[in-house]
Amino acid sequence: MADQAFVTLATTDSYARGAMVLGKSLRNNDTSKKMVVLIGPNVSEPCQSALRRIYDDVMVVNVLDSGDTAHLALLQRPELGVTLTKLHCWTLTQFSKCVFMDADTLVLSNIDELFDREELSAAPDPGWPDCFNSGVFVFRPSVDTYDKLLQYCTEKGSFDGGDQGVLNGFFSNWATADISKHLPFIYNLSSIAIYTYLPAFKQFGSGAKVVHFLGQTKPWSYTFDPHTKQISGGVQDAPTHPAFLLDWWTLYASTVVPVLQEQYGDEPFVSGCLESQESDPTVTTETVQEESSTSHASVEPEMSSEQRKEQWEQGQADYMGMDSFDNIKRKLDTFLK
Ligand code: UDP
Ligand code: MN
Protein backbone atom coordinates (compact mmCIF):
# COMPACT_ATOMS: atom_id res chain seq x y z
CA MET A 1 0.00 0.00 0.00
CA ALA A 2 1.28 3.41 -0.96
CA ASP A 3 0.32 5.02 2.32
CA GLN A 4 2.34 2.64 4.46
CA ALA A 5 6.10 2.74 4.84
CA PHE A 6 9.11 1.32 6.57
CA VAL A 7 11.17 4.14 8.04
CA THR A 8 14.75 4.20 9.28
CA LEU A 9 17.29 6.81 10.34
CA ALA A 10 20.98 7.46 9.70
CA THR A 11 22.82 10.54 10.92
CA THR A 12 26.32 9.31 10.00
CA ASP A 13 27.87 7.43 7.07
CA SER A 14 28.39 4.37 9.28
CA TYR A 15 24.71 4.16 10.16
CA ALA A 16 23.94 4.92 6.50
CA ARG A 17 25.71 1.67 5.56
CA GLY A 18 23.51 -0.09 8.09
CA ALA A 19 20.46 1.53 6.51
CA MET A 20 21.60 0.32 3.07
CA VAL A 21 21.81 -3.27 4.27
CA LEU A 22 18.45 -2.97 6.04
CA GLY A 23 16.88 -1.53 2.86
CA LYS A 24 18.28 -4.36 0.74
CA SER A 25 17.04 -6.92 3.24
CA LEU A 26 13.52 -5.47 3.10
CA ARG A 27 13.54 -5.43 -0.72
CA ASN A 28 14.98 -8.96 -0.96
CA ASN A 29 12.08 -10.14 1.14
CA ASP A 30 9.60 -8.54 -1.26
CA THR A 31 8.06 -5.86 0.87
CA SER A 32 5.09 -4.20 -0.78
CA LYS A 33 5.51 -1.11 1.41
CA LYS A 34 7.32 2.15 0.68
CA MET A 35 10.77 2.59 2.18
CA VAL A 36 11.91 5.90 3.67
CA VAL A 37 15.21 6.87 5.25
CA LEU A 38 15.62 10.00 7.37
CA ILE A 39 19.17 11.30 7.27
CA GLY A 40 21.09 13.93 9.14
CA PRO A 41 22.84 16.73 7.24
CA ASN A 42 26.27 15.16 7.81
CA VAL A 43 25.70 12.07 5.68
CA SER A 44 28.07 12.36 2.72
CA GLU A 45 26.79 12.93 -0.81
CA PRO A 46 27.86 9.49 -2.17
CA CYS A 47 26.12 7.79 0.73
CA GLN A 48 23.00 9.87 0.13
CA SER A 49 23.05 8.80 -3.54
CA ALA A 50 23.49 5.15 -2.59
CA LEU A 51 20.54 5.45 -0.19
CA ARG A 52 18.47 6.99 -2.99
CA ARG A 53 19.12 3.91 -5.11
CA ILE A 54 17.75 1.66 -2.40
CA TYR A 55 14.99 3.71 -0.72
CA ASP A 56 11.90 5.31 -2.25
CA ASP A 57 12.49 8.46 -0.27
CA VAL A 58 15.55 10.01 1.38
CA MET A 59 14.65 12.92 3.63
CA VAL A 60 17.22 15.22 5.18
CA VAL A 61 16.27 16.24 8.68
CA ASN A 62 18.26 19.07 10.20
CA VAL A 63 16.96 19.72 13.68
CA LEU A 64 19.23 22.76 13.99
CA ASP A 65 17.65 24.35 10.94
CA SER A 66 14.12 23.40 11.72
CA GLY A 67 13.31 26.62 13.57
CA ASP A 68 10.35 24.97 15.23
CA THR A 69 9.65 23.28 18.52
CA ALA A 70 12.23 20.59 17.70
CA HIS A 71 14.89 23.27 17.60
CA LEU A 72 13.65 24.70 20.86
CA ALA A 73 13.67 21.23 22.42
CA LEU A 74 17.23 20.75 21.23
CA LEU A 75 18.31 24.03 22.82
CA GLN A 76 16.94 22.83 26.13
CA ARG A 77 18.09 19.23 25.76
CA PRO A 78 21.20 19.31 23.55
CA GLU A 79 22.00 15.68 24.44
CA LEU A 80 18.91 14.53 22.55
CA GLY A 81 20.13 15.42 19.04
CA VAL A 82 19.71 12.01 17.37
CA THR A 83 16.57 11.28 19.37
CA LEU A 84 14.91 14.45 18.13
CA THR A 85 15.87 13.51 14.58
CA LYS A 86 14.24 10.10 15.09
CA LEU A 87 11.04 11.67 16.38
CA HIS A 88 10.68 13.39 13.01
CA CYS A 89 9.27 10.10 11.73
CA TRP A 90 5.94 11.20 13.24
CA THR A 91 5.81 14.07 10.73
CA LEU A 92 5.59 11.69 7.75
CA THR A 93 1.85 12.31 7.49
CA GLN A 94 1.76 11.34 3.81
CA PHE A 95 1.64 7.83 5.30
CA SER A 96 -1.18 6.53 7.46
CA LYS A 97 0.93 3.92 9.20
CA CYS A 98 4.66 3.19 9.43
CA VAL A 99 7.09 0.74 10.92
CA PHE A 100 10.27 2.30 12.25
CA MET A 101 13.39 0.14 12.16
CA ASP A 102 16.82 0.99 13.54
CA ALA A 103 19.62 1.11 10.98
CA ASP A 104 21.31 -1.74 12.86
CA THR A 105 18.50 -4.19 12.14
CA LEU A 106 18.42 -6.87 9.44
CA VAL A 107 15.25 -8.39 8.01
CA LEU A 108 15.29 -12.16 7.46
CA SER A 109 11.81 -12.68 6.02
CA ASN A 110 8.81 -10.65 4.90
CA ILE A 111 7.38 -8.67 7.83
CA ASP A 112 4.63 -6.69 6.09
CA GLU A 113 2.14 -8.22 8.53
CA LEU A 114 3.46 -5.74 11.12
CA PHE A 115 1.21 -3.16 9.46
CA ASP A 116 -1.80 -5.02 10.86
CA ARG A 117 -0.73 -3.73 14.28
CA GLU A 118 -1.59 -0.41 15.87
CA GLU A 119 0.50 2.39 17.41
CA LEU A 120 2.52 1.83 19.48
CA SER A 121 3.43 -1.80 18.92
CA ALA A 122 6.92 -3.00 19.77
CA ALA A 123 8.76 -5.98 21.21
CA PRO A 124 9.98 -6.16 24.83
CA ASP A 125 13.46 -4.95 25.60
CA PRO A 126 15.62 -7.89 26.70
CA GLY A 127 17.22 -5.81 29.47
CA TRP A 128 13.93 -4.66 31.03
CA PRO A 129 10.96 -6.43 29.45
CA ASP A 130 8.39 -3.99 30.89
CA CYS A 131 9.93 -1.48 28.49
CA PHE A 132 9.66 -1.91 24.76
CA ASN A 133 12.75 -1.85 22.60
CA SER A 134 12.56 1.12 20.23
CA GLY A 135 14.57 -0.59 17.46
CA VAL A 136 11.36 -1.80 15.76
CA PHE A 137 7.97 -0.18 16.32
CA VAL A 138 4.67 0.45 14.57
CA PHE A 139 3.38 4.02 14.65
CA ARG A 140 0.93 6.41 13.04
CA PRO A 141 2.41 9.67 11.76
CA SER A 142 0.60 12.62 13.28
CA VAL A 143 1.62 16.23 13.80
CA ASP A 144 -0.35 16.25 17.01
CA THR A 145 1.57 13.25 18.41
CA TYR A 146 4.84 14.77 17.18
CA ASP A 147 4.17 18.02 19.05
CA LYS A 148 3.25 16.11 22.19
CA LEU A 149 6.40 14.01 21.93
CA LEU A 150 8.56 17.13 21.62
CA GLN A 151 6.80 18.68 24.55
CA TYR A 152 7.41 15.50 26.55
CA CYS A 153 11.10 15.60 25.57
CA THR A 154 11.48 19.18 26.66
CA GLU A 155 9.72 18.72 29.97
CA LYS A 156 10.79 15.24 30.97
CA GLY A 157 13.82 14.39 28.81
CA SER A 158 14.83 10.76 28.42
CA PHE A 159 15.43 8.43 31.35
CA ASP A 160 18.09 6.55 29.37
CA GLY A 161 19.43 9.47 27.36
CA GLY A 162 18.06 8.15 24.04
CA ASP A 163 14.87 7.67 22.10
CA GLN A 164 13.90 4.49 23.94
CA GLY A 165 13.64 6.40 27.22
CA VAL A 166 11.50 9.14 25.66
CA LEU A 167 9.19 6.73 23.85
CA ASN A 168 8.70 4.45 26.85
CA GLY A 169 8.00 7.50 28.99
CA PHE A 170 5.46 8.79 26.48
CA PHE A 171 3.76 5.48 25.64
CA SER A 172 3.91 4.55 29.29
CA ASN A 173 1.04 2.07 29.40
CA TRP A 174 2.58 -0.24 26.77
CA ALA A 175 3.48 -2.92 29.31
CA THR A 176 -0.02 -3.39 30.64
CA ALA A 177 -2.69 -1.90 28.38
CA ASP A 178 -3.00 -4.06 25.26
CA ILE A 179 -1.24 -7.34 24.58
CA SER A 180 -1.75 -6.96 20.80
CA LYS A 181 0.80 -4.13 20.97
CA HIS A 182 3.45 -6.54 22.23
CA LEU A 183 5.26 -7.74 19.14
CA PRO A 184 6.69 -11.24 19.34
CA PHE A 185 10.37 -11.16 20.16
CA ILE A 186 11.23 -12.66 16.74
CA TYR A 187 10.50 -9.22 15.24
CA ASN A 188 13.35 -7.68 17.21
CA LEU A 189 15.73 -10.41 18.19
CA SER A 190 18.73 -8.85 19.87
CA SER A 191 22.07 -10.47 20.23
CA ILE A 192 22.08 -9.96 23.99
CA ALA A 193 19.09 -12.29 24.39
CA ILE A 194 20.78 -15.20 22.65
CA TYR A 195 23.31 -15.82 25.37
CA THR A 196 21.18 -14.77 28.29
CA TYR A 197 18.63 -17.46 27.40
CA LEU A 198 20.30 -19.92 25.04
CA PRO A 199 17.71 -22.74 25.36
CA ALA A 200 14.97 -20.30 24.26
CA PHE A 201 17.11 -19.20 21.34
CA LYS A 202 17.61 -22.85 20.33
CA GLN A 203 13.87 -23.46 20.58
CA PHE A 204 12.59 -20.30 18.87
CA GLY A 205 15.57 -18.65 17.15
CA SER A 206 14.96 -20.31 13.79
CA GLY A 207 11.75 -18.27 13.56
CA ALA A 208 13.63 -14.97 13.77
CA LYS A 209 12.31 -12.37 11.33
CA VAL A 210 14.36 -9.35 12.38
CA VAL A 211 17.78 -9.34 14.00
CA HIS A 212 18.86 -6.26 15.93
CA PHE A 213 22.57 -5.66 16.42
CA LEU A 214 21.89 -3.66 19.54
CA GLY A 215 24.70 -2.37 21.71
CA GLN A 216 28.04 -0.72 21.26
CA THR A 217 29.49 -3.04 18.61
CA LYS A 218 27.72 -2.83 15.27
CA PRO A 219 28.20 -5.12 12.26
CA TRP A 220 30.28 -2.43 10.58
CA SER A 221 32.62 -2.36 13.61
CA TYR A 222 33.94 -5.79 12.64
CA THR A 223 36.08 -6.98 9.80
CA PHE A 224 35.21 -9.94 7.64
CA ASP A 225 37.36 -12.38 5.71
CA PRO A 226 35.31 -13.99 2.92
CA HIS A 227 37.80 -16.85 2.46
CA THR A 228 37.67 -18.15 5.98
CA LYS A 229 34.26 -16.60 6.75
CA GLN A 230 35.89 -15.31 9.90
CA ILE A 231 34.65 -12.20 11.59
CA SER A 232 37.11 -10.34 13.76
CA GLY A 233 37.58 -7.01 15.48
CA GLY A 234 34.98 -5.03 17.32
CA VAL A 235 35.33 -4.09 20.95
CA GLN A 236 34.47 -7.56 22.19
CA ASP A 237 36.69 -10.60 21.86
CA ALA A 238 34.15 -12.59 19.91
CA PRO A 239 31.08 -11.48 18.01
CA THR A 240 27.89 -12.25 19.92
CA HIS A 241 26.12 -14.06 17.10
CA PRO A 242 28.39 -14.74 14.17
CA ALA A 243 25.75 -16.44 12.01
CA PHE A 244 23.64 -13.28 11.78
CA LEU A 245 26.73 -11.11 11.42
CA LEU A 246 27.74 -13.27 8.50
CA ASP A 247 24.29 -12.68 6.97
CA TRP A 248 24.82 -8.94 7.36
CA TRP A 249 28.28 -8.99 5.79
CA THR A 250 27.24 -11.27 2.96
CA LEU A 251 24.39 -8.93 2.05
CA TYR A 252 26.66 -5.91 2.38
CA ALA A 253 29.35 -7.37 0.13
CA SER A 254 26.99 -8.74 -2.50
CA THR A 255 24.35 -6.01 -2.79
CA VAL A 256 25.48 -2.79 -1.12
CA VAL A 257 29.07 -2.61 -2.35
CA PRO A 258 27.88 -2.69 -6.01
CA VAL A 259 25.55 0.26 -5.30
CA LEU A 260 28.41 2.16 -3.70
CA GLN A 261 30.61 1.37 -6.64
CA GLU A 262 28.07 2.97 -8.96
CA GLN A 263 28.32 6.17 -6.98
CA TYR A 264 32.08 6.27 -7.24
CA GLY A 265 32.64 5.15 -10.83
CA ASP A 266 36.39 4.73 -11.13
CA GLU A 267 36.98 5.77 -7.56
CA PRO A 268 37.58 3.19 -4.84
CA PHE A 269 34.10 1.83 -4.55
CA VAL A 270 33.65 1.75 -0.82
CA SER A 271 35.62 4.73 0.30
CA GLY A 272 33.24 7.60 1.01
CA CYS A 273 30.99 5.72 3.34
CA LEU A 274 33.78 4.99 5.73
CA GLU A 275 35.23 8.41 6.17
CA SER A 276 33.10 9.18 9.17
CA GLN A 277 34.44 6.09 10.91
CA GLU A 278 37.54 8.01 11.80
CA SER A 279 35.56 9.54 14.58
CA ASP A 280 33.39 6.50 15.21
CA PRO A 281 34.20 5.23 18.71
CA THR A 282 32.88 1.75 17.90
CA VAL A 283 35.67 1.13 15.41
CA THR A 284 38.82 -0.42 16.73
CA THR A 285 41.93 0.23 14.75
CA GLU A 286 43.82 -2.67 16.30
CA THR A 287 42.50 -5.31 13.95
CA VAL A 288 42.90 -3.01 11.01
CA GLN A 289 46.56 -2.48 11.75
CA GLU A 290 47.13 -6.11 12.54
CA GLU A 291 45.58 -7.30 9.32
CA SER A 292 47.07 -4.66 7.10
CA SER A 293 50.52 -5.89 8.04
CA THR A 294 49.85 -9.22 6.32
CA SER A 295 50.65 -9.38 2.63
CA HIS A 296 47.88 -9.10 0.09
CA ALA A 297 47.55 -9.61 -3.62
CA SER A 298 47.65 -6.49 -5.74
CA VAL A 299 44.45 -4.47 -5.60
CA GLU A 300 45.04 -3.06 -9.08
CA PRO A 301 42.31 -4.17 -11.48
CA GLU A 302 43.42 -6.30 -14.40
CA MET A 303 40.39 -5.38 -16.47
CA SER A 304 39.02 -1.95 -17.25
CA SER A 305 36.86 -0.38 -14.59
CA GLU A 306 33.99 -0.43 -17.10
CA GLN A 307 34.28 -4.20 -17.51
CA ARG A 308 34.60 -4.59 -13.80
CA LYS A 309 31.50 -2.51 -13.22
CA GLU A 310 29.57 -4.66 -15.71
CA GLN A 311 30.62 -7.77 -13.83
CA TRP A 312 29.48 -6.29 -10.55
CA GLU A 313 26.13 -5.36 -12.05
CA GLN A 314 25.71 -8.93 -13.27
CA GLY A 315 26.43 -10.14 -9.77
CA GLN A 316 29.77 -11.62 -10.82
CA ALA A 317 32.08 -10.13 -8.25
CA ASP A 318 35.46 -11.83 -8.11
CA TYR A 319 35.28 -12.51 -4.41
CA MET A 320 38.19 -14.92 -4.39
CA GLY A 321 40.48 -12.62 -6.36
CA MET A 322 40.34 -8.98 -7.33
CA ASP A 323 37.22 -8.23 -5.28
CA SER A 324 38.28 -10.30 -2.31
CA PHE A 325 37.43 -8.89 1.03
CA ASP A 326 41.12 -8.53 1.82
CA ASN A 327 41.44 -6.16 -1.10
CA ILE A 328 38.30 -4.27 -0.22
CA LYS A 329 39.45 -4.03 3.35
CA ARG A 330 42.90 -2.87 2.36
CA LYS A 331 41.26 -0.02 0.51
CA LEU A 332 39.19 0.74 3.56
CA ASP A 333 42.28 0.73 5.74
CA THR A 334 43.79 3.52 3.74
CA PHE A 335 40.83 5.65 4.75
CA LEU A 336 40.91 4.59 8.36
CA LYS A 337 44.51 5.55 8.82
N1 UDP B 1 21.37 6.55 15.02
C1 UDP B 1 21.97 7.37 14.08
N2 UDP B 1 23.15 7.98 14.40
C2 UDP B 1 23.77 7.81 15.60
C3 UDP B 1 23.17 6.96 16.52
C4 UDP B 1 21.97 6.35 16.21
O1 UDP B 1 21.44 7.55 12.99
O2 UDP B 1 24.85 8.37 15.80
C5 UDP B 1 20.06 5.93 14.68
C6 UDP B 1 20.20 4.61 13.92
O3 UDP B 1 19.05 4.40 13.14
C7 UDP B 1 20.29 3.64 15.06
C8 UDP B 1 19.24 4.20 16.01
O4 UDP B 1 19.39 5.62 15.89
O5 UDP B 1 20.03 2.31 14.65
C9 UDP B 1 19.39 3.79 17.47
O6 UDP B 1 20.76 3.78 17.85
P1 UDP B 1 21.54 2.41 18.09
O7 UDP B 1 21.03 1.39 17.13
O8 UDP B 1 23.00 2.71 18.05
O9 UDP B 1 21.11 2.03 19.57
P2 UDP B 1 20.98 0.55 20.19
O10 UDP B 1 19.99 -0.19 19.35
O11 UDP B 1 22.35 -0.06 20.15
O12 UDP B 1 20.47 0.81 21.58
MN1 MN C 1 19.74 -0.34 17.34
Side-chain angles (χ1 to χ4, degrees), residues 218-295:
K218 300 303 183 193
W220 50 87
S221 317
Y222 295 96
T223 54
F224 172 61
D225 182 333
H227 304 295
T228 60
K229 301 264 185 272
Q230 287 291 310
I231 288 164
S232 55
V235 292
Q236 293 151 343
D237 288 341
T240 39
H241 49 115
F244 293 131
L245 265 184
L246 201 55
D247 289 343
W248 191 95
W249 273 105
T250 306
L251 197 57
Y252 178 72
S254 62
T255 67
V256 171
V257 169
V259 176
L260 289 173
Q261 193 205 17
E262 278 180 34
Q263 306 314 314
Y264 286 98
D266 290 345
E267 296 294 312
F269 50 84
V270 277
S271 61
C273 283
L274 286 176
E275 278 160 18
S276 68
Q277 287 208 345
E278 276 171 3
S279 57
D280 187 338
T282 63
V283 173
T284 52
T285 49
E286 268 166 46
T287 326
V288 169
Q289 279 153 11
E290 192 183 287
E291 293 205 2
S292 63
S293 63
T294 58
S295 62

Side-chain angles (χ1 to χ4, degrees), residues 62-80 84 88 146 150-151 153-155:
N62 190 347
V63 174
L64 284 175
D65 277 357
S66 62
D68 59 7
T69 35
H71 192 184
L72 290 177
L74 187 65
L75 289 177
Q76 288 173 54
R77 301 267 178 181
E79 76 281 7
L80 292 180
L84 290 167
H88 263 258
Y146 175 67
L150 290 181
Q151 194 184 346
C153 265
T154 316
E155 288 169 7

Side-chain angles (χ1 to χ4, degrees), residues 8-12 15-16 19 38-40 82-83 85-86 100-105 125 133-135 160 163-164 212-218 220:
T8 190
L9 164 69
T11 63
T12 66
Y15 279 98
L38 305 177
I39 58 168
V82 173
T83 295
T85 312
K86 189 164 178 173
F100 182 91
M101 302 190 71
D102 268 8
D104 60 344
T105 57
D125 184 83
N133 183 278
S134 60
D160 68 0
D163 58 282
Q164 184 157 314
H212 185 182
F213 299 95
L214 160 164
Q216 202 189 349
T217 312
K218 300 303 183 193
W220 50 87

Side-chain angles (χ1 to χ4, degrees), residues 89-274:
C89 67
W90 261 273
T91 67
L92 300 172
T93 50
Q94 65 272 42
F95 302 109
S96 64
K97 195 186 279 185
C98 296
V99 172
F100 182 91
M101 302 190 71
D102 268 8
D104 60 344
T105 57
L106 176 71
V107 171
L108 304 175
S109 62
N110 186 291
I111 52 168
D112 287 358
E113 68 271 16
L114 283 179
F115 290 83
D116 297 340
R117 305 271 180 161
E118 266 312 319
E119 176 174 282
L120 184 289
S121 293
D125 184 83
W128 196 267
D130 281 347
C131 289
F132 59 84
N133 183 278
S134 60
V136 178
F137 62 86
V138 182
F139 70 101
R140 280 194 182 275
S142 147
V143 173
D144 184 47
T145 311
Y146 175 67
D147 288 342
K148 286 178 177 149
L149 276 164
L150 290 181
Q151 194 184 346
Y152 183 92
C153 265
T154 316
E155 288 169 7
K156 306 268 173 57
S158 165
F159 73 76
D160 68 0
D163 58 282
Q164 184 157 314
V166 171
L167 292 174
N168 273 278
F170 188 80
F171 295 100
S172 61
N173 68 357
W174 172 87
T176 51
D178 181 354
I179 195 66
S180 73
K181 294 183 180 177
H182 286 227
L183 297 181
F185 199 60
I186 51 167
Y187 288 99
N188 187 349
L189 179 70
S190 55
S191 41
I192 287 167
I194 296 174
Y195 290 105
T196 51
Y197 196 1
L198 194 55
F201 177 69
K202 286 182 176 159
Q203 181 73 10
F204 304 113
S206 61
K209 289 172 185 264
V210 178
V211 183
H212 185 182
F213 299 95
L214 160 164
Q216 202 189 349
T217 312
K218 300 303 183 193
W220 50 87
S221 317
Y222 295 96
T223 54
F224 172 61
D225 182 333
H227 304 295
T228 60
K229 301 264 185 272
Q230 287 291 310
I231 288 164
S232 55
V235 292
Q236 293 151 343
D237 288 341
T240 39
H241 49 115
F244 293 131
L245 265 184
L246 201 55
D247 289 343
W248 191 95
W249 273 105
T250 306
L251 197 57
Y252 178 72
S254 62
T255 67
V256 171
V257 169
V259 176
L260 289 173
Q261 193 205 17
E262 278 180 34
Q263 306 314 314
Y264 286 98
D266 290 345
E267 296 294 312
F269 50 84
V270 277
S271 61
C273 283
L274 286 176

